[in-house]
Amino acid sequence: MAELHPRTVAWAETMAGYAADGVVRAHADPGSAVQLGEPVLREQREAWEAEHLSAGATLASGAGQRAVAEEPDQERTCFERDRDRIVHSTAFRRLAGKTQVVVYPTDHQRTRLTHALEVAQVATSIARGLGVNVALAEAIALGHDCGHGPGGHASEDAFDAFIEEGYDHGPWGADVVLTGLNLCTETLDGIRNHSWSRPTPGTVEGQIVSWADRIAYCSHDLEDAASAGIVSTAELPPIIAEVAGRTRRAQLGVFIRSVIEATAATGQVGMAAEPAQALAALRTFNYERIYTRPESVAQSVAVIEVLRALVEHYAGRAGSLPAELERAEATAADRARVAVTYVGGMTDRFAFETAIALLGWDPERLPRGIGRGA
């Protein structure tokens, strides 16, 4: 047997930790101590919320209505539990393999997962600045895109053909993908309605996430596109550069501060006119120069073709779906819906590799990322 490296031996020796004075520590030296007295549990945090959160904030106490009733958790508020359930879910983990803007992203380009994390950062910054429920805002932000299929927004166009009411990633995430988590009604409402074309979310925190989503993707999609050489920040219209700056860091600072200041002044979640115009101009710039550039349109067309072919395969062949999804008495519409659920849950790579292996799909017909000829 090969001799173990000293680092490996040192790591193995920490198996049991370090016991002293009736407690087991993670490190040999005691380090800093905390004078607490009693643990700060759910009830104490709920009491703190009731005393300190702003009027109009969503309180955890009295909330927590779920499709299946549950006993309250001893340590966590209902919205903290939701946040944790989302983070530990397979749907959230799969976002690491799903397109934000470009399929097959480089190491430094955003995925749908890093987008969700950045939205959560913006949302929690705004929520803290307004004194509202940070845990609820974070839970909604982390879960808001779990309904996206592989290949970005083009997956919605692909799946529309099979879903009677149409495929919208917000409602699909809340009402299909995340139903097994038994989340609170407030969390699901924010996820369902985060897009600006949807009804207004029922909580202040949900409205904050709607702004946080747009602020985050407008800024980071520009940064990714500039890094890839698709656009130059020198080309930004004056209103963007003068009001919000040319970098993601500057833009986030301006837009986050603008939401906090305007909301504090008016009581309505929003922005003052000038920064809102700058954000709208940035989104328009991205739309014209990034999202609808010829290469992006070609990527979308390729995504739609391959995803529809996969759904048609699974919907039309009994026994082709995983055993836990098969229903002997399913109607054609039901089977199509289950097929969309299955394909929609796939990561980009798994979907495209499945198309090659299962359908004999020509790899040249697959979407192309920055490093694959886009």
Side-chain angles (χ1 to χ4, degrees):
M1 181 178 178
E3 184 176 351
L4 295 176
H5 192 282
R7 184 185 301 106
T8 304
V9 174
W11 175 74
E13 289 174 348
T14 67
M15 294 295 184
Y18 302 89
D21 302 323
V23 66
V24 177
R25 300 191 304 262
H27 299 277
D29 296 327
S32 301
V34 59
Q35 301 299 322
L36 187 60
E38 296 292 334
V40 182
L41 301 178
R42 172 183 57 81
E43 290 182 345
Q44 286 76 37
R45 291 211 290 286
E46 288 178 346
W48 184 93
E49 287 183 1
E51 182 177 354
H52 292 94
L53 292 189
S54 301
T58 305
L59 301 180
S61 178
Q65 285 73 37
R66 305 178 188 274
V68 179
E70 299 180 11
E71 288 296 318
D73 188 70
Q74 182 179 4
E75 288 81 22
R76 298 167 297 170
T77 70
C78 57
F79 301 132
E80 290 169 345
R81 291 180 88 181
D82 281 2
R83 176 199 59 207
D84 295 347
R85 289 179 183 186
I86 291 167
V87 167
H88 289 280
S89 69
T90 56
F92 184 74
R93 290 198 299 277
R94 288 191 191 116
L95 295 180
K98 294 191 177 187
T99 298
Q100 172 58 23
V101 173
V102 179
V103 296
Y104 302 109
T106 65
D107 289 347
H108 296 158
Q109 290 171 333
R110 270 75 175 183
T111 64
R112 192 62 63 177
L113 177 64
T114 56
H115 164 68
L117 294 173
E118 292 185 48
V119 173
Q121 181 274 316
V122 175
T124 56
S125 291
I126 296 172
R128 287 192 184 99
L130 293 173
V132 300
N133 200 307
V134 173
L136 175 56
E138 187 176 21
I140 295 169
L142 291 172
H144 83 283
D145 268 358
C146 283
H148 264 299
H153 279 280
S155 64
E156 294 177 298
D157 298 335
F159 298 147
D160 271 343
F162 307 99
I163 304 299
E164 182 179 359
E165 70 275 19
Y167 187 101
D168 184 320
H169 73 278
W172 191 266
D175 301 331
V176 179
V177 176
L178 298 175
T179 52
L181 302 185
N182 198 34
L183 301 176
C184 297
T185 56
E186 296 88 348
T187 305
L188 292 172
D189 169 76
I191 292 170
R192 187 181 295 115
N193 296 315
H194 70 272
S195 295
W196 287 26
S197 57
R198 295 282 305 167
T200 304
T203 65
V204 167
E205 293 80 4
Q207 294 179 58
I208 287 171
V209 173
S210 295
W211 277 99
D213 182 31
R214 181 159 294 190
I215 290 168
Y217 75 68
C218 284
S219 300
H220 69 52
D221 288 354
L222 172 67
E223 183 177 65
D224 277 357
S227 297
I230 296 171
V231 298
S232 168
T233 57
E235 302 171 298
L236 288 174
I239 187 174
I240 302 171
E242 294 170 5
V243 173
R246 299 184 187 274
T247 67
R248 170 189 48 79
R249 181 177 183 179
Q251 290 162 1
L252 291 182
V254 168
F255 294 140
I256 290 171
R257 195 173 306 114
S258 298
V259 173
I260 293 172
E261 291 175 350
T263 306
T266 67
Q268 297 291 311
V269 180
M271 267 188 201
E274 186 177 55
Q277 289 168 1
L279 179 59
L282 177 55
R283 188 170 185 261
T284 299
F285 180 86
N286 288 357
Y287 180 83
E288 295 174 349
R289 299 295 303 278
I290 303 171
Y291 309 142
T292 60
R293 75 193 229 277
E295 294 85 354
S296 295
V297 173
Q299 173 182 289
S300 296
V301 170
V303 166
I304 292 169
E305 289 178 348
V306 69
L307 295 186
R308 284 185 177 174
L310 283 169
V311 173
E312 288 168 356
H313 172 86
Y314 289 114
R317 290 168 175 79
S320 61
L321 287 163
E324 64 272 17
L325 297 178
E326 287 289 349
R327 302 289 185 271
E329 304 301 323
T331 65
D334 290 341
R335 189 167 183 85
R337 194 175 189 88
V338 173
V340 167
T341 303
Y342 180 54
V343 176
M346 294 178 175
T347 61
D348 297 355
R349 191 171 301 279
F350 183 69
F352 302 153
E353 290 179 352
T354 298
I356 294 172
L358 192 64
L359 308 180
W361 202 263
D362 183 353
E364 291 300 313
R365 296 178 61 192
L366 290 174
R368 295 181 177 273
I370 293 295
R372 301 181 71 245

